[in-house]
Amino acid sequence: MSEPILALKGVTKSFGPIEVLHGVDFALRPGEVHALIGENGAGKSTTMKILAGYLSQTRGEIILDGKPIEFTGSDQVEDLGIIMIHQEFNLAEHLSVDQNVFLGRELKRGWRLDHRAMRTRTAELMSRLESRADPATPVSEISVPEKQMVEIAKALSRQARVLIMDEPTAVLTERETEVLFRQVERLRDEGVAILYTSHKLGEVKRIADRVTVLRDGIMVRSDLIDDVTEDDMATAMVGRELSDLYPPKSDRGAEPILEVSNVSVRGVVENASLTLHRGEVLGIGGLVGSGRTELAEAIAGLRPRTGTVMLKGQPLAAGQVAQAMKAGLVYLTEDRKGAGLLLEKSLRENLTLPLLKDFGRPLIDRKREEAALDRAIEDFAIKVPARNMAVGDLSGGNQQKLLLAKTLLSDPDVVIIDEPTRGIDIGTKQQVYNLIADLAAGGRSIIVISSEMPELIGLASRVVVMHAGRVAGELAGDAVTENGIVRLAMGMEQSGKENAA
Amino acid sequence: MSAESISNTGAARARKVDLRVIGPLVALVVLILIGVMLNPNFLSYSNVTNVLARSAFIGIIAIGMTFVITAGGLDLSVGSMAAFVAGLMIMAMNWLSVSMGDSVVVILLGIVLALGAGLAAGFINGILITRAGIEAFILTLGTMGIYRSLITWLADGGTLSLGSGLSSLYSPVYYGGILGLSWPIIVFALLAILGEIVMRHTAFGRHCAAIGSNEKVARYSSVHVQRVKLATYVLLGLSVGIAVVMYVPRLGSASATTGLLWELEAIAAVIIGGTLLKGGFGRVWGTVVGVLILSLISNLLNLTDFVSPYLNGAIQGVVIILAVVLQRNSGPAR
Amino acid sequence: MHKTLITATALTGLFASPLLAETIGVSIPAATHGWAGALNYHAERTIERLEAANPDLDFVLTTTSGPSQQVSDIEDMVATRNIDALVVLPFESEPLTAPIQRVADGGVWVTVVDRGLAQEGIEDLYVAGDNDSFGRTAGTYFAENLDDGAKVVVMRGIASEVDNERVAGFEAALEGSGIEVLAMDHGNWNRDTAFGLMQDYLSRFPEIDAVWAADDDMAVGALAAIEQAGRTGEMIVVGGAGMKEMVARIRDNDTTVPVDVTYPPAMISTAIEMTALGVSGAAPVSGEFIIASELITADNAEDFYFEDSPY
């Protein structure tokens, strides 16, 4: 076994009086992918931030090339060849892709910027990542997975000895993930030491050479990947046996509650139709960019559209989100931080925002708001260190629970949930799945949009698959399989319902 | 973000909130103490009421401005708008008095016109910003020039003056009052209380903060974003109208220099008071403190020979910056 | 300094014979305050009158709000309108000296109004009010009419050359009179600013005998503040420039406003008319015409009251 490039030895970290890492030993070796897994709040981010120089340890040592080193800041650490890819994108939205890739390290010819060289290099990197994003496009105009690819391109463009990846695949489809993994493998073969975190244990099994599990700031186990199963990992993370991840599906009613016919959104969705029944969980699958999100937003009144949407037999006007909510249809966005929550506001203000008028007119009744928050915290098991803290300081899973609480506040009949479990840990995932099942059992109708195949299969009794802005097909019952969904999503079958049971 | 860093940032936030709250108040108290030391007349009844009444115009406008800025907008046209509305009001009242004489009805009509004109001007700003999608900064920079030119043109480069009969009939609205408080102070105080309640305790105020904080989140939370933004500009226009109603009886005139730089004073007052220039958080009581700070500085400088009058602007600048630094700079920088 | 008093009306009779076709450019500050407004009013009226009387005479009038814009305006006039003469009231002396010099070097007749250039000998004709005399006249009135030990407050204009000259003249006239100047602050030639400033003076000084406001707009603000404080009768207010509301008060024997000092905006008419004469060769015109400030009193107020002037 080769010597580690970068290692932590007995590292602890305290924030004020609270110790959050308790003596972590961790080593990154050249030519090895080391996965660090754990539930949200287990200490993964803190560990990574210490390794990348964003935080300094309270006690213990950081060892670089066998010698203890004091990191003075992330700049110095980057100069040492230790590169971190952040989960929250550090991209300048209004700059183009190539400007972002070379931000702070612009290529120059004399004193002038060498635009052509930067553009060519970026195009090379992006094509290696099989991304179609044009280097000249402003980052604000590209999709979320493309943004992730830009972050990765940024890291690839540097001569990394150590690459730290914080959930790089959270927003990627399986195909994009595969592209990323090929790059990770290439870097590993070149001798780069890679730290990789993910909530997707299948991926960990697929890409990692070694896996370390953190729980509550303690390293619970560290093994070669061949010595552990996914179940072992999950058990070590949660600290208890996980029963079946997905709750049993309930039977749907026969009565259609939402009928969408021939809905088009200029340039992204064409003539999409679907029907949702009372008490049903309907899945929408397809690649990112296939028009799933846009279709959902069009139905919910967030985008201009043509075509008709009937809710409980009544037509919904296009582009009227408040009216849709009043009629009983709500949408939970995939973009939790950009469109879902006000990160610098408190939980209370976020929770009641869509329905303020119901909390007293003309003056808001603070007590009723607080009561609603109490209820939400209890119903959705939101873990809140301090009641009036900013939502941005909550962990991803708790943010998602709050967003669910907020979306469900209006007691809707139809809920469209876009990526219900993006970037949250397995324990929280299970809670969300149970919640969706409970909603359906209670007579509500749910559409789940997801990039994670097992999620669609585990939750939905029927799946509509989109490809290139169109509904490519529909699967039901036993026909809902990974293979079936993939074939439709890739456009390999343009069918009606021949697979329907 | 991981759970362990929460407690830390949460604590930092709590400290910050405290300083944010007291920052402008500290600056105000310090100014008052300096004033008392420098001149015994500083806290005299007449000086205090003078300063408060003088603050009223910009104060009333700044209350409206607080909502616009909280919702992520900006309005540079308010000073010119005030001059234009004042000119319009004076001309209309003079014209009406020809047929109707110098009567209270003429004054009431003038007041209605001023409020209506302010409302309309705010609506025009708002509709162009929300429907035509023009950047608020540029649009209101444009309307600022337009109103300034219009008043210069209306006044023929000179001064529009209210007829002397009307002027003496109307002047009690500025100089009169009850319980020793003049009307501008009373109106300012009432609007400030009302504004604070609206900002803090109504859906409209909460929606303004949500939009300024993240417009997309607000839209996805079924807030009527465009409608609320439009309403903030209309509200500001109305507050300009109210300010004009209090302003005209003072000197009974309007000219091309009326309301010059009021927009910047109003914006400065809002920011000194702790409202974020980028939007997302606003508080009306802070704005009131900000207005008082600005008025007190010039009052203090007039009451003393402490510094060369050439340096007045510098003193104002330093106090503005200090007042803002006090509330922003707490603990280690991020 | 050679001082001549010109009355504009005396010149109009000279335009009996038709002039050659000439283009005259006129560049003055925009009407941002009362006095400048009156300047614009007189300029426009004079141009209209001259154009009507002489169809071959052509005028280009620009109003500017800053020195750099004025430079561009003048350059445009020369480049696109091919002017034969330029009548200019420089926004500021220094920045405009070189550009006007270039215009003069190009063979264009140059008349400078009111604000002198930084360098002598550029212009063909100089028509100006006398800022020193403006301050001195007010100061002399105080020295002669106030008691020894009388207390005076001063409201200055926007900090500038003009303001400095006026204040210097005022202070020179007071020298040795025993009159005490309590404070001098800037009222910026603005009614609202002057109102606030006067309120603060009134709070600060229990005893004030006279106010000198270096402009009638400021005097209006000061008067309102004095009235509000109920201290009318305690002090006199002397303004300047001859605003018609102030002249009316003097004429009506208002004890608070006994006199005013002129600084006639009509000097622009004089300048334009004399330039028309000079450039066409109809009469030999050159040199300096300095219009001294006069004291308006109840006796002569009627002569300074123009009903239809905006100022």
Side-chain angles (χ1 to χ4, degrees):
Chain A
M1 194 159 61
S2 55
E3 281 304 307
I5 300 180
L6 184 63
L8 299 181
K9 215 167 124 190
V11 162
T12 69
K13 177 68 189 173
S14 305
F15 292 111
I18 304 153
E19 190 174 278
V20 294
L21 278 188
H22 317 286
V24 168
D25 296 310
F26 187 77
L28 291 168
R29 295 182 174 78
E32 184 179 89
V33 177
H34 192 156
L36 181 64
I37 61 173
E39 289 195 89
N40 285 336
K44 299 187 306 271
S45 294
T46 309
T47 308
M48 281 185 286
K49 283 178 182 163
I50 290 173
L51 282 167
Y54 288 93
L55 289 176
S56 53
Q57 75 275 27
T58 309
R59 277 195 309 276
E61 283 181 329
I62 301 174
I63 296 173
L64 181 71
D65 296 322
K67 285 181 286 265
I69 185 166
E70 283 287 326
F71 286 163
T72 54
S74 55
D75 296 348
Q76 174 221 7
V77 173
E78 276 204 19
D79 290 343
L80 292 169
I82 301 167
I83 311 292
M84 176 160 175
I85 301 175
H86 294 266
Q87 186 187 358
E88 277 102 49
F89 304 131
N90 281 332
L91 298 175
E93 288 274 319
H94 295 287
L95 296 186
S96 63
V97 169
D98 60 339
Q99 284 166 340
N100 265 290
V101 168
F102 286 97
L103 192 61
R105 302 169 303 115
E106 287 80 2
L107 301 180
K108 289 179 190 153
R109 218 169 30 202
W111 53 273
R112 289 183 312 135
L113 292 179
D114 191 347
H115 293 289
R116 193 179 305 165
M118 285 191 278
R119 199 146 284 184
T120 321
R121 282 280 292 137
T122 305
E124 273 168 34
L125 289 166
M126 293 309 282
S127 75
R128 212 196 280 167
L129 292 167
E130 296 177 31
S131 163
R132 278 166 299 170
D134 178 1
T137 320
V139 163
S140 57
E141 287 173 22
I142 64 178
S143 66
V144 171
E146 281 170 338
K147 282 180 191 173
Q148 181 67 64
M149 288 305 187
V150 174
E151 273 287 355
I152 293 162
K154 210 167 138 183
L156 292 179
S157 75
R158 304 170 190 213
Q159 293 309 313
R161 293 180 67 212
V162 176
L163 188 60
I164 299 168
M165 307 172 95
D166 190 0
E167 289 193 48
T169 58
V171 298
L172 300 184
T173 61
E174 295 190 15
R175 194 174 59 90
E176 290 160 336
T177 302
E178 203 42 50
V179 171
L180 173 67
F181 283 173
R182 282 204 294 277
Q183 294 305 314
V184 171
E185 281 163 350
R186 191 180 59 81
L187 290 171
R188 172 176 62 192
D189 296 344
E190 287 169 9
V192 176
I194 295 162
L195 190 163
Y196 172 86
T197 65
S198 178
H199 286 305
K200 302 176 186 172
L201 299 181
E203 285 179 4
V204 171
K205 188 81 180 152
R206 150 84 177 76
I207 190 73
D209 301 304
R210 185 182 294 273
V211 60
T212 295
V213 183
L214 277 181
R215 187 170 73 230
D216 297 330
I218 299 169
M219 233 185 70
V220 275
R221 61 187 293 176
S222 185
D223 308 271
L224 287 172
I225 197 74
D226 296 335
D227 301 341
V228 286
T229 64
E230 285 181 45
D231 280 349
D232 294 342
M233 288 190 253
T235 308
M237 277 167 63
V238 183
R240 58 187 153 87
E241 290 290 332
L242 270 180
S243 54
D244 193 8
L245 195 53
Y246 298 99
K249 297 174 191 177
S250 56
D251 294 330
R252 67 167 164 95
E255 173 199 354
I257 187 161
L258 178 74
E259 291 157 286
V260 176
S261 38
N262 294 318
V263 164
S264 297
V265 178
R266 252 186 78 174
V268 276
V269 178
E270 254 179 273
N271 286 330
S273 303
L274 54 83
T275 306
L276 178 69
H277 304 87
R278 188 173 292 281
E280 181 181 31
V281 179
L282 171 71
I284 299 184
L287 304 177
V288 170
S290 61
R292 314 175 308 194
T293 295
E294 289 80 1
L295 172 62
E297 290 184 349
I299 294 171
L302 284 159
R303 274 175 193 271
R305 59 160 166 84
T306 57
T308 55
V309 175
M310 303 288 280
L311 180 67
K312 294 180 277 185
Q314 298 294 318
L316 278 185
Q320 298 289 340
V321 57
Q323 198 184 317
M325 184 183 79
K326 212 180 249 172
L329 182 146
V330 294
Y331 167 73
L332 187 144
T333 176
E334 59 166 344
D335 188 2
R336 188 161 64 223
K337 292 174 190 212
L341 295 171
L342 298 170
L343 299 180
E344 64 266 41
K345 298 279 175 199
S346 70
L347 283 85
R348 176 177 52 83
E349 287 163 291
N350 271 286
L351 178 69
T352 58
L353 185 60
L355 217 62
L356 268 183
K357 299 231 156 70
D358 286 12
F359 286 88
R361 281 174 105 162
L363 300 189
I364 300 169
D365 185 346
R366 182 73 175 266
K367 283 206 195 85
R368 268 160 68 187
E369 279 194 292
E370 295 289 359
L373 179 57
D374 284 336
R375 223 164 27 243
I377 288 175
E378 200 187 309
D379 291 354
F380 294 84
I382 305 172
K383 273 188 238 161
V384 190
R387 233 183 127 84
N388 55 358
M389 68 191 288
V391 163
D393 293 341
L394 285 174
S395 69
N398 283 312
Q399 285 182 2
Q400 187 71 1
K401 289 186 206 164
L402 177 67
L403 183 56
L404 271 163
K406 171 187 161 184
T407 312
L408 295 174
L409 191 66
S410 64
D411 197 13
D413 300 310
V414 175
V415 193
I416 307 176
I417 307 180
D418 201 348
E419 300 289 4
T421 60
R422 172 172 289 172
I424 64 180
D425 62 71
I426 195 150
T428 312
K429 262 186 187 176
Q430 195 175 22
Q431 290 178 319
V432 171
Y433 295 150
N434 285 331
L435 183 86
I436 289 173
D438 289 350
L439 287 172
R444 291 191 182 75
S445 315
I446 294 127
I447 297 179
V448 172
I449 302 174
S450 179
S451 299
E452 286 184 50
M453 268 353 142
E455 200 164 278
L456 283 179
I457 296 163
L459 287 174
S461 49
R462 200 157 57 91
V463 175
V464 167
V465 184
M466 293 193 68
H467 170 72
R470 292 171 176 279
V471 173
E474 189 179 307
L475 307 165
D478 293 338
V480 182
T481 61
E482 233 172 278
N483 189 25
I485 296 173
V486 168
R487 289 177 70 84
L488 285 170
M490 303 298 283
M492 289 155 75
E493 270 173 53
Q494 284 292 342
S495 70
K497 303 185 175 183
E498 75 261 39
N499 287 332
Chain B
M1 181 176 287
S2 56
E4 49 269 27
S5 55
I6 290 168
S7 52
N8 180 47
T9 48
R13 198 169 290 267
R15 273 202 311 277
K16 191 174 294 174
V17 166
D18 281 345
L19 260 160
R20 268 206 200 172
V21 169
I22 59 169
L25 276 177
V26 168
L28 186 65
V29 170
V30 168
L31 273 175
I32 291 173
L33 288 178
I34 293 175
V36 172
M37 285 191 313
L38 290 178
N39 194 309
N41 285 335
F42 182 73
L43 282 184
S44 69
Y45 166 78
S46 67
N47 192 53
V48 170
T49 51
N50 281 348
V51 171
L52 287 175
R54 253 187 265 162
S55 310
F57 316 131
I58 288 182
I60 291 168
I61 293 174
I63 291 169
M65 187 71 83
T66 309
F67 286 90
V68 169
I69 292 181
T70 301
L74 194 68
D75 192 337
L76 296 173
S77 70
V78 289
S80 311
M81 192 194 289
F84 174 65
V85 173
L88 221 54
M89 181 186 185
I90 289 170
M91 286 178 80
M93 285 162 73
N94 282 341
W95 182 76
L96 284 172
S97 72
V98 173
S99 56
M100 303 170 68
D102 296 338
S103 67
V104 177
V105 180
V106 172
I107 288 168
L108 288 177
L109 285 173
I111 290 174
V112 170
L113 176 87
L115 299 181
L119 210 69
F123 183 80
I124 292 170
N125 275 344
I127 206 84
L128 286 171
I129 288 164
T130 53
R131 299 276 175 244
I134 307 172
E135 287 275 351
F137 184 93
I138 284 301
L139 180 94
T140 57
L141 190 68
T143 48
M144 164 174 143
I146 292 169
Y147 293 131
R148 183 61 66 196
S149 294
L150 284 177
I151 175 65
T152 311
W153 178 69
L154 284 181
D156 219 356
T159 303
L160 289 167
S161 295
L162 200 57
S164 60
L166 281 174
S167 195
S168 51
L169 199 60
Y170 192 9
S171 69
V173 172
Y174 181 81
Y175 296 106
I178 42 169
L179 303 173
L181 289 172
S182 65
W183 290 117
I185 301 176
I186 294 166
V187 171
F188 181 27
L190 288 179
L191 287 177
I193 293 167
L194 190 68
E196 178 68 17
I197 291 172
V198 169
M199 180 66 88
R200 278 204 175 205
H201 299 295
T202 67
F204 175 71
R206 189 75 68 75
H207 286 168
C208 285
I211 291 168
S213 178
N214 185 332
E215 198 173 314
K216 197 169 175 192
V217 172
R219 196 164 68 85
Y220 275 63
S221 307
S222 51
V223 172
H224 295 287
V225 173
Q226 303 303 333
R227 213 184 289 172
V228 171
K229 279 165 84 178
L230 174 61
T232 61
Y233 288 98
V234 173
L235 205 69
L236 177 54
L238 182 65
S239 64
V240 168
I242 296 171
V244 167
V245 167
M246 308 312 301
Y247 169 81
V248 168
R250 186 168 84 175
L251 295 174
S253 65
S255 72
T257 53
T258 298
L260 210 56
L261 298 183
W262 281 10
E263 61 282 344
L264 291 188
E265 279 198 49
I267 293 168
V270 172
I271 304 310
I272 292 171
T275 297
L276 296 176
L277 184 55
K278 67 178 170 65
F281 175 78
R283 54 179 188 201
V284 171
W285 72 260
T287 298
V288 173
V289 173
V291 170
L292 293 181
I293 287 175
L294 287 179
S295 299
L296 279 183
I297 298 169
S298 70
N299 177 242
L300 266 179
L301 291 169
N302 286 341
L303 285 181
T304 56
D305 285 326
F306 220 55
V307 288
S308 155
Y310 294 133
L311 287 174
N312 281 4
I315 303 286
Q316 277 179 343
V318 168
V319 175
I320 290 172
I321 292 168
L322 279 180
V324 175
V325 165
L326 261 177
Q327 49 186 307
R328 300 280 150 86
N329 204 10
S330 55
R334 274 192 284 182
Chain C
M1 195 187 287
H2 172 71
K3 289 182 187 172
T4 320
L5 189 69
I6 301 278
T7 49
T9 44
L11 287 160
T12 44
L14 292 173
F15 290 95
S17 59
L19 299 161
L20 298 173
E22 304 282 0
T23 305
I24 299 176
V26 179
S27 172
I28 54 177
T32 52
H33 59 275
W35 190 83
L39 188 82
N40 278 264
Y41 167 81
H42 286 292
E44 280 175 34
R45 247 182 21 164
T46 309
I47 288 171
E48 262 172 44
R49 189 156 44 77
L50 291 181
E51 279 182 335
N54 305 279
D56 291 337
L57 211 51
D58 204 9
F59 286 92
V60 189
L61 175 67
T62 63
T63 60
T64 64
S65 51
S68 57
Q69 196 201 336
Q70 192 168 28
V71 172
S72 321
D73 285 349
I74 292 171
E75 283 170 356
D76 289 350
M77 280 183 193
V78 174
T80 63
R81 299 298 298 268
N82 201 18
I83 53 170
D84 302 291
L86 173 69
V87 177
V88 57
L89 199 166
F91 213 92
E92 279 173 29
S93 300
E94 289 288 343
L96 279 140
T97 299
I100 293 175
Q101 166 108 57
R102 277 199 295 279
V103 175
D105 291 348
V108 173
W109 173 288
V110 172
T111 300
V112 173
V113 184
D114 199 34
R115 197 161 301 159
L117 296 176
Q119 206 179 317
E120 284 185 23
I122 294 172
E123 67 274 5
D124 297 276
L125 179 65
Y126 180 54
V127 179
D130 186 341
N131 285 310
D132 181 77
S133 154
F134 179 93
R136 199 177 288 273
T137 307
T140 308
Y141 177 82
F142 280 2
E144 288 170 359
N145 292 279
L146 295 177
D147 300 332
D148 194 22
K151 292 178 167 56
V152 178
V153 291
V154 175
M155 292 189 184
R156 309 181 58 158
I158 293 170
S160 61
E161 193 74 14
V162 170
D163 185 55
N164 289 342
E165 285 176 16
R166 289 178 175 183
V167 171
F170 179 78
E171 284 179 322
L174 284 191
E175 211 148 290
S177 66
I179 290 171
E180 188 191 351
V181 176
L182 296 171
M184 281 197 189
D185 283 289
H186 292 275
N188 296 345
W189 292 322
N190 179 299
R191 288 184 186 196
D192 292 316
T193 316
F195 179 83
L197 179 57
M198 192 66 219
Q199 282 189 328
D200 292 343
Y201 278 157
L202 290 168
S203 305
R204 184 174 161 194
F205 305 114
E207 195 190 332
I208 300 172
D209 297 308
V211 181
W212 180 51
D215 182 80
D216 282 339
D217 264 326
M218 291 196 288
V220 169
L223 285 166
I226 295 167
E227 196 173 326
Q228 181 206 12
R231 288 171 69 174
T232 312
E234 285 181 28
M235 64 198 80
I236 59 167
V237 176
V238 175
M243 180 193 280
K244 71 180 181 188
E245 287 85 350
M246 295 297 282
V247 176
R249 289 177 88 141
I250 297 166
R251 185 191 58 194
D252 302 341
N253 289 312
D254 187 325
T255 49
T256 307
V257 188
V259 293
D260 201 22
V261 180
T262 62
Y263 197 80
M267 70 173 77
I268 192 73
S269 306
T270 312
I272 295 172
E273 284 165 356
M274 292 182 69
T275 304
L277 281 179
V279 75
S280 63
V285 174
S286 72
E288 285 191 345
F289 293 88
I290 306 298
I291 303 164
S293 290
E294 289 180 80
L295 195 66
I296 306 174
T297 62
D299 299 331
N300 66 1
E302 206 55 57
D303 302 339
F304 293 92
Y305 187 78
F306 304 107
E307 183 58 50
D308 59 343
S309 161
Y311 187 65

